[in-house]
DNA sequence: CGCTTTTGACCAGCGC
DNA sequence: GCGCTGGTCAAAAGCG
């Protein structure tokens, strides 16, 4: 079953599918576009005008043949000229897109730098924060040193033991550069954070677009249904794991708990769930997040996933790991039982995942379907996953929805 | 033959 | 220290 899904989804990596839709060139430059730059409307207006003139020649059936031929040749020249103009505009837009991409990269690095500064100011607080609900898991320097000797042996750096995750972050603080340390700390803590998704499904596992391999099954205490353990097999060494278990009270409810961050490109079908879980994990792990912020963000995330549903998100304070639970059981169950190819239709193409060789903008890829159905909801969803910082989210959401949403300047210009 | 699933064993953390 | 529990490993079996 999984292998079938996986094979289908691997097709998304084909060169053909990796080509960005032309529409992306027009829609994604949202950071630094001035209204006067949006001259795409010129071409459309010309097209409209042409259609009008075309119509007039058809209507004017009384005109002599010579005139008609002459008129058509003029028309042809005009259209060729317009085509040339549009090509130029296309080139300009491509340049603008590159600029926007650069802007985005710069902005992102700024944000990361700021977050790193903040994390450095708060020292161990962030790491300790991840474990404040898990009892006596506060890491002391003595602990780190005693463990570091064992970690240096044949053990893997990416350990499956929670304590070792802390260890990696802490050792890095002493021995590695601050940037690398922060990355590792973040990776280690991201591995700890969990996102639980509750959904009604008769299938043994919800199709989230990823390729999973089952590596274990256990009877969990207090639940007659076994808990299955899966590991992501889309790339060797991908640390992402998930647990799948049916609810003891209502066996139609499937609880899927995700842990970790993918270290490889994801097919669009997998982007939705992976990004959602990653964004939720980011919320959990963002150092500035107060408990109320977290709850607010969690519910925002839930609305992001299924905007029309009454889905709820909660953050567990009692679980051994910080966990966000997205309860989708009140939404249409069919939304999570679709075939892999249609999963993105129910879940927004949002991003937030450190996807290698793939811009985070890939989450904003606009499909042919989306061209016919403006992706305003998807875009607002995307902003939710960019970062857990509510201020950043609000600013970007406003910017994106003002440009890509119904009030797109180009649209206005065309319609006027 | 290669990949996935199954399943018992093993390990670490935690509470008593 | 012991037992319980959750999580992982790895050999064997199953499958296409």
């Amino acid at each position: 079953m999984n292998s079938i899904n996986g094979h289908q989804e691997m097709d998304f990596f084909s060169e053909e599918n990796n080509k960005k839709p032309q529409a992306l060139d027009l829609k994604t430059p949202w950071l630094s576009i001035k209204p006067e730059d949006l001259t795409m409307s010129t071409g459309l207006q010309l097209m409209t005008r042409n259609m009008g003139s075309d119509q007039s020649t058809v209507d004017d059936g009384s005109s002599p043949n010579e005139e008609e031929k002459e008129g058509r040749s003029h028309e042809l020249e005009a259209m060729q000229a317009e085509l040339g103009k549009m090509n130029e505009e296309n080139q300009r837009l491509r340049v603008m897109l590159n600029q926007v991409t650069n802007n985005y990269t710069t902005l992102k690095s700024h944000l990361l730098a700021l977050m790193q500064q903040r994390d450095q100011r708060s020292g161990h607080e962030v790491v300790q924060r991840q474990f404040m609900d898990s009892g006596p898991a506060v890491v002391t320097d003595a602990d780190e040193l005693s463990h570091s000797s064992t970690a240096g042996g044949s053990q893997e750096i990416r350990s499956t033991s929670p304590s070792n995750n802390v260890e990696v972050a802490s050792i890095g603080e002493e021995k590695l550069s601050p940037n690398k340390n922060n990355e590792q700390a973040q990776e280690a803590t991201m591995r700890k954070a969990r996102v639980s998704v509750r959904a009604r499904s008769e299938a043994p596992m919800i199709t989230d677009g990823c390729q999973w391999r089952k590596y274990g099954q256990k009877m969990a205490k207090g639940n007659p249904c076994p808990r299955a353990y899966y590991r992501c097999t889309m790339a060797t060494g991908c640390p992402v794991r998930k647990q799948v278990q049916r609810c003891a009270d209502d066996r139609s409810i499937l609880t899927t708990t995700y842990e970790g961050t993918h270290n490889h490109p994801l097919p669009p079908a997998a982007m939705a769930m992976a990004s959602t879980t990653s964004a939720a994990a980011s919320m959990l792990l963002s150092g500035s997040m107060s408990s109320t912020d977290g709850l607010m963000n969690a519910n925002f995330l839930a609305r992001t996933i299924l905007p029309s549903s009454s889905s709820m998100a909660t953050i567990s304070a009692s679980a051994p790991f910080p966990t966000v639970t997205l309860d989708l059981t009140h939404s249409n169950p069919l939304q999570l039982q679709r075939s892999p190819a249609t999963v993105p239709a129910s879940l927004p193409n949002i991003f937030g995942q450190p996807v290698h060789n793939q811009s985070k903008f890939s989450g904003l890829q606009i499909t042919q379907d989306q061209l016919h159905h403006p992706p305003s909801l998807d875009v607002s969803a995307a902003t939710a996953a960019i970062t857990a910082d509510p201020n950043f989210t609000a600013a970007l959401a406003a910017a994106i929805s003002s440009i890509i949403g119904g009030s797109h300047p180009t649209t206005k210009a065309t319609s006027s």
Side-chain angles (χ1 to χ4, degrees):
Chain A
M1 176 190 68
N2 290 337
S3 59
I4 294 170
N5 294 347
H7 288 308
Q8 283 176 343
E9 286 141 19
M10 288 302 279
D11 291 339
F12 287 108
F13 291 129
S14 68
E15 196 179 346
E16 188 66 28
N17 283 311
N18 276 338
K19 286 178 187 170
K20 290 182 181 177
Q22 198 73 322
L24 179 64
D25 291 352
L26 309 179
K27 298 247 179 182
T28 44
W30 48 270
L31 271 183
S32 63
I33 302 175
K34 298 170 206 142
E36 58 266 29
D37 288 336
L38 294 168
T39 53
M40 197 57 202
S41 56
T42 316
L44 293 171
Q45 282 170 341
L46 289 168
M47 291 283 279
T48 314
R49 213 172 55 219
N50 276 337
M51 287 172 69
S53 64
D54 214 24
Q55 186 68 35
S56 68
T57 54
V58 169
D59 288 342
D60 192 12
S62 62
S63 55
N65 268 354
E66 285 301 316
E67 275 183 36
E68 194 176 328
K69 277 183 184 173
E70 199 176 330
R72 285 197 184 279
S73 70
H74 283 313
E75 215 172 277
L76 198 66
E77 285 173 16
M79 284 186 78
Q80 281 173 343
E82 285 154 16
L83 208 61
K85 279 184 189 174
M86 288 176 75
N87 279 335
E88 281 177 28
E89 283 178 15
N90 198 9
Q91 294 287 340
R92 278 179 47 207
L93 286 167
R94 281 177 189 278
V95 172
M96 283 166 56
L97 176 64
N98 284 337
Q99 281 181 342
V100 168
T101 308
N102 287 339
N103 284 348
Y104 166 73
T105 309
T106 310
L107 203 59
K108 193 179 80 175
S109 60
H110 273 300
L111 179 69
L112 284 175
L114 286 172
M115 286 174 71
Q116 282 172 4
Q117 282 177 9
R118 187 192 59 201
D119 288 348
Q120 280 168 0
R121 272 203 303 273
S122 57
H124 282 190
E125 275 178 24
V126 176
V127 173
Q128 290 183 358
R129 212 183 115 73
Q130 322 310 327
F131 303 97
M132 66 185 178
D133 298 328
S134 54
V138 176
V139 180
T140 64
D141 288 339
D143 285 337
E144 292 165 18
L145 288 173
S146 65
H147 283 95
S148 63
S149 58
T150 59
S154 60
Q155 282 186 333
E156 271 184 282
I157 295 295
R158 183 196 58 74
S159 168
T160 55
S161 144
S163 61
N164 284 350
N165 285 328
V166 179
E167 190 183 295
V168 169
S170 305
I171 293 167
E173 197 159 312
E174 291 170 19
K175 297 178 183 172
L176 302 174
S177 66
N179 282 348
K180 198 163 183 181
N181 162 46
N182 256 300
E183 281 175 20
Q184 289 202 353
Q186 205 163 3
E187 190 181 320
T189 49
M190 284 293 276
R191 171 100 170 78
K192 291 282 295 184
R194 290 179 174 183
V195 180
S196 188
V197 179
R198 279 164 54 89
R200 287 188 190 279
S201 174
E202 297 305 320
M205 191 169 75
I206 60 173
T207 51
D208 47 23
C210 269
Q211 201 173 355
W212 302 95
R213 178 178 177 176
K214 191 175 183 178
Y215 66 90
Q217 180 167 306
K218 269 281 191 186
M219 294 304 297
K221 188 187 172 190
N223 192 334
C225 305
R227 176 185 299 164
Y229 299 90
Y230 295 88
R231 173 181 290 141
C232 177
T233 58
M234 293 192 81
T236 52
C238 179
V240 177
R241 291 167 191 219
K242 76 171 179 180
Q243 300 173 10
V244 179
Q245 188 171 33
R246 293 214 167 271
C247 181
D249 299 332
D250 185 349
R251 301 200 180 187
S252 66
I253 295 177
L254 202 62
T255 303
T256 308
T257 304
Y258 295 87
E259 182 183 329
T261 304
H262 294 282
N263 63 357
H264 53 84
L266 292 167
M271 282 294 292
M273 187 61 85
S275 303
T276 303
T277 56
S278 176
S282 297
M283 287 177 187
L284 273 177
L285 300 175
S286 88
S288 64
M289 189 186 74
S290 68
S291 55
T292 48
D293 282 346
L295 204 59
M296 197 175 70
N297 276 334
N299 281 318
F300 181 64
L301 185 77
R303 287 195 301 274
T304 294
I305 292 170
L306 293 169
S308 58
S309 78
S310 57
S311 51
M312 282 287 296
T314 55
I315 292 178
S316 166
S318 57
F321 305 108
T323 306
V324 176
T325 302
L326 303 172
D327 190 348
L328 309 181
T329 57
H330 300 296
S331 57
N332 183 0
L334 288 175
Q335 287 180 305
L336 281 169
Q337 290 175 358
R338 299 184 181 205
S339 66
T342 56
V343 163
S346 61
L347 294 170
N349 278 336
I350 56 179
F351 47 85
Q353 198 84 353
V355 180
H356 297 184
N357 305 321
Q358 194 173 353
S359 164
K360 287 189 177 185
F361 269 116
S362 59
L364 281 175
Q365 283 181 358
I366 297 167
T367 64
Q368 291 295 324
D369 274 355
Q370 285 169 316
L371 282 174
H372 296 104
H373 307 285
S376 56
L377 285 175
D378 286 16
V379 172
S380 64
T383 58
I386 289 171
T387 173
D389 188 324
N391 294 331
F392 194 75
T393 302
L396 286 183
I400 293 174
S401 51
S402 68
I403 292 173
I404 302 183
S407 59
H408 194 293
T410 305
T411 315
K412 275 187 179 174
T414 312
S415 61
S416 63

